[in-house]
Amino acid sequence: CGASVNHRSPRRARARIRFSSGWRFSGDVRMTQYSPEQYAWRAAGENSRPIRDLPPAMSTVHGDTFALPAHSITVVRGTVTP
C-alpha cells in the first residue's frame, strides 16, 4: 500500500512508487483518488459549504507509475514482489 499527495502543484503530475527493498508492484494495482473532481468548497463565511461532495474515484491500473490529479490524495494497493 502506498499514498501520495499532490498538494502544491496546480497541474496533474506523474509519480512512480519504488520500495527501498527493491520490491515492486506485481499485477493489477487498485487506486483510490480524491481530488477537486470529487470535492469543492465554497467559502462564504458562516454560509460556507461544499458545492461538490462525491465519493473518491476508484480504478485499477497496472504498473508502478500513476497520474496524480492536481490538489489530490491518491492511495494505491496491490501485491508487491521482489
Side-chain angles (χ1 to χ4, degrees), residues 41-64:
W41 183 257
R42 179 173 184 207
E46 291 183 21
N47 296 317
S48 296
R49 61 184 171 78
I51 55 175
R52 183 172 35 260
D53 188 9
L54 303 172
M58 301 179 99
S59 60
T60 301
V61 296
H62 191 80
D64 61 359

Side-chain angles (χ1 to χ4, degrees), residues 9-58:
S9 175
R11 295 187 175 142
R12 189 172 200 91
R14 298 207 51 85
R16 174 178 276 168
I17 295 180
R18 299 282 182 172
F19 298 94
S20 61
S21 63
W23 290 31
R24 60 180 3 148
F25 282 114
S26 173
D28 290 340
V29 178
R30 293 175 309 282
M31 183 167 56
T32 303
Q33 292 184 318
Y34 202 61
S35 73
E37 290 183 22
Q38 288 77 37
Y39 190 84
W41 183 257
R42 179 173 184 207
E46 291 183 21
N47 296 317
S48 296
R49 61 184 171 78
I51 55 175
R52 183 172 35 260
D53 188 9
L54 303 172
M58 301 179 99

Side-chain angles (χ1 to χ4, degrees), residues 29 44 65 77:
V29 178
T65 303
R77 295 184 65 182

